[in-house]
Amino acid sequence: MADFNVNLRGVGSVSVIDVKGYLDAHTAPELENVFNKLLDGRQYKVVVNFNELKYISSAGLGVFMAYVETMRENMGDIKFSNMKENVYNIFDLLGFPILYEFYNEEHEAVQKFNN
Amino acid sequence: MNSSKKIFEKELHVKSTTENLSSIREFTKTAAANSGFSEEMVGKIILAVDEACTNIIKHAYKYSPDGNIFIKIIFKNAKFSISITDEGIHFDPNKIPEPNLNEYYKSKRIGGLGMFLMKKLMDEVKYSTLTGNKNQVVLVKYLST
């Protein structure tokens, strides 16, 4: 069932991951594959664009927890952008805003890496 | 129409695969919306049920796809109650510590968030062991009028 889609693209030196649809325990491995690909390619500056993500469960949140430290240890980060309110509320409930940067627009998050 | 007077009962039986999470969510969504919950609240209930079933698939059945998950939703007197029963390995929810995000960050542990979310999203979360080695979690949300 194609209820989740993940796409990887480069914006300058930053890797942007577009997530679309439903991110749950069934679809989270697809997102992990993309992060593993980034690590293989030593790409540590990541922006996740949530514009088309409708739903996230803790299995999806766990993926970001699993990779963020490695990115930061290598002068990178995982930053979030374009998140819908219902999705942001779940991140907020778990205290993510203390540990992660959230931006309204993708270019703001990309810009932050270039500063 | 006073939706709090509505009474209904719905059941769903699925096998323990993560592939079934989408149909579990759809089933829960229809029942919660028909009970008169707001879209925001429906979203919270769906997530709590997803987390409970994900825990069962992961911990009770250890990802074995042949296990049974029985979901029963009862809406009565403004009480929306979801009972989820499995026949897998019993796990004690009290042994799962409250997650501390800073600790998670350091240790890269990625479990326990689901239980925390369920408790945050619902009014009641109760675990029990039934006869015949069955485990049951009951999630409750009250419809405020």
Side-chain angles (χ1 to χ4, degrees):
Chain A
M1 199 187 297
D3 49 7
F4 178 71
N5 258 297
V6 57
N7 177 56
L8 180 61
R9 60 194 159 87
V11 179
S13 63
V14 180
S15 303
V16 177
I17 301 174
D18 295 296
V19 284
K20 183 178 176 181
Y22 296 79
L23 180 52
D24 63 8
H26 188 61
T27 57
E30 289 179 50
L31 182 58
E32 283 173 0
N33 288 342
V34 171
F35 273 104
N36 288 335
K37 209 184 281 177
L38 288 174
L39 292 186
D40 288 346
R42 298 174 178 272
Q43 301 288 314
Y44 304 115
K45 295 175 179 175
V46 183
V47 171
V48 184
N49 186 325
F50 284 82
N51 190 41
E52 294 186 81
L53 194 84
K54 291 181 178 165
Y55 175 86
I56 191 163
S57 73
S58 68
L61 296 161
V63 177
F64 304 115
M65 295 296 295
Y67 290 92
V68 70
E69 204 187 356
T70 309
M71 300 307 181
R72 288 177 183 169
E73 282 167 358
N74 290 281
M75 308 291 282
D77 193 13
I78 300 173
K79 301 183 195 297
F80 301 137
S81 82
N82 302 74
M83 209 176 270
K84 299 267 187 296
E85 198 187 343
N86 66 314
V87 172
Y88 176 78
N89 287 342
I90 306 308
F91 278 89
D92 191 29
L93 210 53
L94 288 168
F96 273 67
I98 298 167
L99 291 171
Y100 294 80
E101 294 173 16
F102 294 75
Y103 297 90
N104 287 333
E105 300 296 334
E106 179 189 308
H107 69 85
E108 296 171 308
V110 171
Q111 184 84 51
K112 198 80 183 169
F113 277 118
N114 296 330
N115 284 345
Chain B
M1 191 179 74
N2 186 346
S3 57
S4 68
K5 292 257 169 66
K6 267 199 233 169
I7 297 176
F8 71 74
E9 221 178 284
K10 303 253 179 232
E11 286 184 55
L12 178 73
H13 169 212
V14 290
K15 289 290 176 186
S16 54
T17 68
T18 53
E19 202 174 354
N20 285 328
L21 288 171
S22 56
S23 47
I24 291 168
R25 288 196 298 268
E26 202 51 45
F27 169 75
T28 308
K29 183 184 181 178
T30 307
N34 287 344
S35 302
F37 285 101
S38 66
E39 201 183 324
E40 189 194 347
M41 205 53 83
V42 170
K44 288 182 177 179
I45 296 170
I46 290 172
L47 179 56
V49 173
D50 176 324
E51 297 293 349
C53 293
T54 299
N55 273 347
I56 290 169
I57 293 165
K58 222 164 139 178
H59 301 294
Y61 290 122
K62 310 268 182 213
Y63 293 106
S64 150
D66 305 320
N68 292 309
I69 300 176
F70 301 95
I71 305 173
K72 187 176 187 175
I73 296 181
I74 299 173
F75 182 61
K76 193 180 175 185
N77 297 330
K79 184 182 182 181
F80 189 80
S81 162
I82 310 126
S83 317
I84 307 166
T85 310
D86 69 77
E87 301 157 335
I89 302 160
H90 174 73
F91 74 99
D92 185 351
N94 297 318
K95 285 188 183 156
I96 297 175
E98 290 262 314
N100 173 325
L101 207 65
N102 275 307
E103 286 300 312
Y104 271 71
Y105 177 70
K106 284 182 211 141
S107 65
K108 297 188 192 178
R109 280 190 53 216
I110 52 168
L113 296 177
M115 182 75 71
F116 178 78
L117 271 179
M118 280 156 63
K119 288 178 183 167
K120 282 265 182 192
L121 297 167
M122 301 302 283
D123 294 326
E124 292 169 20
V125 177
K126 273 183 201 149
Y127 278 86
S128 52
T129 307
L130 308 180
T131 52
N133 281 329
K134 289 181 180 177
N135 311 301
Q136 188 174 68
V137 56
V138 180
L139 309 173
V140 173
K141 193 86 201 174
Y142 293 96
L143 180 69
S144 46
T145 48

